[in-house]
Amino acid sequence: MPANPMLTHNDRNSQLARLIAANQQIFTELLTFVDFADKFTIAFVEVNFNAEADLLIEGLKNHPISQENQFEVLSFDENLRFLLDEIVKILPTIKREANKELVLIVRGLEKSIGKFAEYPPVLQDLNFVRDAYKTRVPHPMLFVLPDYGITRLAKFAPDFWSWKSAVFLFKTTQSTRDDAVARTLDSERSFRTLKTPEKQERIELLESLLMEYKPSHSGTEKNPSACSNILHQLGVAYLSQGKPLKAREYLEPALELTKESGNISLQAEVYNELGASYRQEGQFSVAMSAYQASLEIAQKLGNRRGEANALYDLGNVCQDLREWEKATVFYQQCLEIEQAIGDIYSQASTYQQLGWVAKEMWNLTEAERYYQQALEIFSEYGDRSGMASSWGLLGDIERNRGNWDEAERLYRQSLELRTELGDRSGMASSWGVLGDIERARGNWDEAERLYRQSLELRTELGDRSGMATCWGLLGDIERNRGNWDEAERLYRQSLEVETELGDRSGMAKSIGSIGEVELSRGNLDAAEQLLTDALERFKELGEITFIAEASFRVAQVWQKRNNPELGQQYYNTAHQIFQQLGAAKDLERIEREWDNPDF
């Protein structure tokens, strides 16, 4: 965590004084080392909190004993691979002060060292090129690292470690530790409500606290209860950043600690987050098992709220699997509990999920009723974010009905409120659906402008799933213009991310879109293979609308191959589905294209 710019000069001096007072002897030894260090000499300084490392360096620079030294801080990020090469690049750029010994302070190496992976590449290289440091970096070096950084460096770069002249272990002051606890474990603000810089700051504080309660060199927890809580919060933090693997590196040891301590209440919460991590990766069966474990604990404890949460999560997984009936059962069970305990506010979210399932089953009237119930509750509680979400979902209903003007009115109502709230993710979604409206109207240039506006914001937010969606939509624009190569590039860009994220529905859509490009090019073999692949994926997912669309495209392939009988079979499937769904505009479109294959 960087030094707080809001602190006054007196505050910083006071904090520095406390740090030195708590580490008087070790600070004196560090000053002595710097004073006598000459040519290539290395020492390691352990400081767990970045703010205290900043203070320590400041105190070192300003101390009377150090005035014959010129300190240069070299900061590195997580992408570092070859430390020596980077230092050699920097050295000629340093403006030297006359008659002063240059001392290099290396910061940030822990970012590329990491906490869990075996043999970090940066440490392998550090060990391998050790001998070159004597000639290429003829200056004293201080490596300022947290606890785990020093432990892992000693383990994975033992040859370089053996050249150390000293190790200085600084204790964290109680005031710094208390402040970190207040801003993390005792904070009333949910991690998910924080802005990106605040999220990163909290992660750094939690990781620093974890080293205080569980030093890597001891192998045991000083405070298992606090450790499990910190590990859990770190898991939540990384999940909110879309990093499920990273999250599990913390959640799995948190689960073990809760089992050892018998803290089954926290254990249920950890199971929930583990379920979320597996769900993010598309490992739905494992996610179901984790949520079931949470549900069983909640039922054992008689925790009705926890039971409702687990049922809600189970419904979400079934929704991911397109198992609509099962999802409805879980959501209804969740709703019954919320009604029984008088939790009116939570019912709004459950109504939204029931509405979503009804919409996917093409029960638009029922979906609209659920969305209206959610809107009424959000309005009653003054939840403007929930109101914006409900208006957007009601817009989806009108769009599915082909009522473009009413859909646009609802989407713009949602966008206006999301803009007022600063809900950037919601704004990106609104721009995307407004682009869909313009595309449906045939306003392709305006649709492209809205899609690009959405893409720009999703890129800023690091929303890779949303970015993939936007690339696919922009691919549709280019395909409509006849720009096959650019359309294919965008579809493949989308497919690559969807594959990484395990988004099976998105992958099927992208594969089908590439197949449509090949169909437009006249590459019928490639088109058949891709479109048939997409069709089978949609069947597995139970996505009825896309089954119809993919069937129609396969029909077109056989139509162009002069196999009308087989083509008619696929066409009849598509026609029947759209007819059952009451999708009049889609029926009109496929009838026109089927009768006019060169249209």
Side-chain angles (χ1 to χ4, degrees):
M1 180 183 66
N4 189 342
M6 301 302 291
L7 290 177
T8 66
H9 181 69
N10 287 339
D11 288 335
R12 289 187 62 77
N13 284 342
S14 177
Q15 288 186 352
L16 177 58
R18 285 197 294 270
L19 178 63
I20 292 175
N23 297 277
Q24 187 63 65
Q25 181 177 344
I26 204 73
F27 183 67
T28 301
E29 292 174 2
L30 176 58
L31 285 170
T32 303
F33 170 82
V34 171
D35 188 33
F36 285 97
D38 182 41
K39 297 182 180 178
F40 175 72
T41 316
I42 59 173
F44 296 92
V45 181
E46 180 180 296
V47 186
N48 284 339
F49 285 82
N50 281 331
E52 290 199 341
D54 292 338
L55 287 170
L56 178 61
I57 292 169
E58 185 179 318
L60 196 60
K61 288 180 176 180
N62 295 332
H63 199 279
I65 292 179
S66 305
Q67 295 314 297
E68 293 185 2
N69 297 108
Q70 176 185 344
F71 294 94
E72 291 293 334
V73 179
L74 310 182
S75 297
F76 300 100
D77 60 25
E78 65 273 14
N79 298 316
L80 181 65
R81 174 67 174 84
F82 303 107
L83 177 62
L84 178 60
D85 291 349
E86 293 303 316
I87 292 176
V88 170
K89 288 179 188 176
I90 295 170
L91 283 177
T93 69
I94 296 174
K95 187 176 181 180
R96 296 296 301 274
E97 298 177 30
N99 302 318
K100 286 193 175 184
E101 174 74 29
L102 179 63
V103 178
L104 303 176
I105 300 177
V106 177
R107 296 288 308 275
L109 189 59
E110 70 277 4
K111 297 175 185 176
S112 50
I113 290 175
K115 298 182 181 64
F116 301 103
E118 294 291 308
Y119 295 100
V122 69
L123 295 186
Q124 292 184 50
D125 180 70
L126 190 68
N127 214 40
F128 183 72
V129 300
R130 178 192 73 160
D131 294 340
Y133 274 85
K134 282 189 174 181
T135 56
R136 302 186 71 185
V137 190
H139 309 285
M141 300 178 67
L142 295 179
F143 287 80
V144 180
L145 292 163
D147 164 86
Y148 74 87
I150 289 181
T151 300
R152 284 171 62 76
L153 191 148
K155 178 179 180 180
F156 295 116
D159 293 343
F160 188 85
W161 173 257
S162 67
W163 274 1
K164 66 185 180 300
S165 296
V167 180
F168 304 99
L169 307 178
F170 280 79
K171 294 183 293 185
T172 302
T173 63
Q174 189 61 45
S175 61
T176 295
R177 191 180 297 112
D178 291 344
D179 176 68
V181 170
R183 294 165 65 184
T184 55
L185 303 182
D186 294 346
S187 175
E188 294 182 358
R189 294 188 65 188
S190 165
F191 187 90
R192 292 183 172 90
T193 66
L194 302 177
K195 295 181 179 179
T196 301
E198 294 172 305
K199 286 182 179 181
Q200 189 56 43
E201 181 180 348
R202 183 175 288 192
I203 287 174
E204 291 179 4
L205 285 171
L206 285 167
E207 290 179 336
S208 295
L209 277 174
L210 185 61
M211 288 182 283
E212 293 293 310
Y213 291 117
K214 186 181 180 181
S216 60
H217 52 76
S218 70
T220 58
E221 298 83 8
K222 293 181 179 179
N223 187 330
S225 176
C227 276
S228 58
N229 196 0
I230 293 169
L231 288 164
H232 172 239
Q233 288 205 22
L234 281 166
V236 171
Y238 283 111
L239 267 181
S240 76
Q241 295 183 333
K243 300 176 180 177
L245 280 173
K246 186 80 171 174
R248 285 203 296 277
E249 290 175 346
Y250 295 95
L251 291 171
E252 287 171 352
L255 182 64
E256 293 306 312
L257 282 176
T258 60
K259 289 179 178 179
E260 292 173 10
S261 65
N263 186 350
I264 59 173
S265 178
L266 180 57
Q267 188 178 136
E269 293 183 39
V270 175
Y271 270 124
N272 272 333
E273 303 304 335
L274 281 168
S277 77
Y278 286 114
R279 185 182 170 212
Q280 277 190 15
E281 291 183 312
Q283 298 188 51
F284 299 121
S285 62
V286 188
M288 288 283 284
S289 297
Y291 288 138
Q292 285 285 3
S294 178
L295 176 62
E296 290 170 9
I297 293 173
Q299 291 171 333
K300 180 179 179 180
L301 293 173
N303 179 357
R304 299 285 278 166
R305 178 68 264 166
E307 189 177 349
N309 289 341
L311 288 166
Y312 184 88
D313 289 330
L314 286 164
N316 289 343
V317 176
C318 289
Q319 188 182 124
D320 293 331
L321 292 168
R322 273 60 182 177
E323 296 177 350
W324 308 124
E325 289 82 3
K326 287 183 181 179
T328 300
V329 170
F330 282 125
Y331 290 140
Q332 288 288 4
Q333 290 176 341
C334 172
L335 183 63
E336 288 171 9
I337 293 174
E338 290 167 342
Q339 291 172 338
I341 64 179
D343 186 355
I344 297 173
Y345 179 73
S346 294
Q347 292 174 39
S349 296
T350 309
Y351 279 129
Q352 282 194 337
Q353 295 304 92
L354 282 165
W356 182 272
V357 171
K359 185 192 71 171
E360 292 299 314
M361 297 174 73
W362 215 256
N363 298 326
L364 298 184
T365 301
E366 184 178 351
E368 182 179 24
R369 178 173 61 83
Y370 282 130
Y371 289 154
Q372 286 287 3
Q373 286 176 291
L375 177 60
E376 289 172 12
I377 294 173
F378 285 133
S379 299
E380 180 183 345
Y381 280 82
D383 183 342
R384 285 149 57 80
S385 176
M387 292 164 63
S389 172
S390 295
W391 282 324
L393 292 168
L394 286 166
D396 291 343
I397 297 296
E398 296 304 330
R399 184 178 58 166
N400 285 337
R401 288 171 172 162
N403 300 333
W404 311 130
D405 291 347
E406 179 60 12
E408 181 183 8
R409 184 188 70 79
L410 288 162
Y411 287 146
R412 290 200 177 279
Q413 200 169 342
S414 176
L415 174 60
E416 182 179 353
L417 192 47
R418 283 168 165 168
T419 304
E420 290 177 13
L421 295 170
D423 176 7
R424 289 156 61 76
S425 178
M427 290 162 62
S429 297
S430 293
W431 284 324
V433 291
L434 284 168
D436 291 341
I437 295 294
E438 295 303 331
R439 186 174 68 164
R441 288 170 169 161
N443 300 331
W444 293 90
D445 290 346
E446 178 61 11
E448 180 185 14
R449 185 187 69 80
L450 288 161
Y451 289 151
R452 290 198 179 280
Q453 203 168 345
S454 178
L455 175 60
E456 182 179 350
L457 190 47
R458 291 187 187 281
T459 303
E460 289 178 16
L461 295 170
D463 176 7
R464 288 169 56 73
S465 177
M467 291 161 63
T469 299
C470 288
W471 286 323
L473 293 168
L474 288 167
D476 292 343
I477 299 287
E478 296 303 331
R479 178 159 55 89
N480 178 72
R481 291 169 173 163
N483 300 332
W484 315 131
D485 291 348
E486 179 61 11
E488 181 181 2
R489 185 190 69 79
L490 288 161
Y491 290 143
R492 291 197 180 278
Q493 197 170 350
S494 179
L495 178 60
E496 182 179 351
V497 173
E498 289 157 349
T499 304
E500 290 176 11
L501 297 176
D503 178 0
R504 297 196 299 155
S505 178
M507 291 163 64
K509 292 171 189 174
S510 293
I511 290 169
S513 295
I514 297 169
E516 290 187 49
V517 169
E518 296 298 351
L519 179 60
S520 299
R521 286 168 169 160
N523 298 333
L524 299 183
D525 288 345
E528 180 198 354
Q529 181 179 354
L530 289 160
L531 290 166
T532 302
D533 183 8
L535 177 58
E536 292 306 313
R537 290 171 185 261
F538 287 133
K539 286 180 178 178
E540 289 176 9
L541 295 169
E543 294 198 357
I544 191 69
T545 304
F546 291 106
I547 290 173
E549 189 64 35
S551 296
F552 176 64
R553 297 305 175 190
V554 174
Q556 287 183 308
V557 171
W558 290 109
Q559 185 185 45
K560 290 180 181 295
R561 278 182 163 171
N562 296 317
N563 191 331
E565 291 184 5
L566 189 54
Q568 191 69 42
Q569 291 178 22
Y570 281 101
Y571 172 78
N572 290 343
T573 298
H575 195 279
Q576 184 179 4
I577 292 172
F578 282 134
Q579 198 167 42
Q580 289 172 348
L581 295 175
K585 290 185 181 296
D586 285 312
L587 275 173
E588 179 185 345
R589 172 177 56 83
I590 67 170
E591 287 170 358
R592 182 179 66 249
E593 292 186 29
W594 187 249
D595 292 336
N596 302 279
D598 297 324
F599 180 78

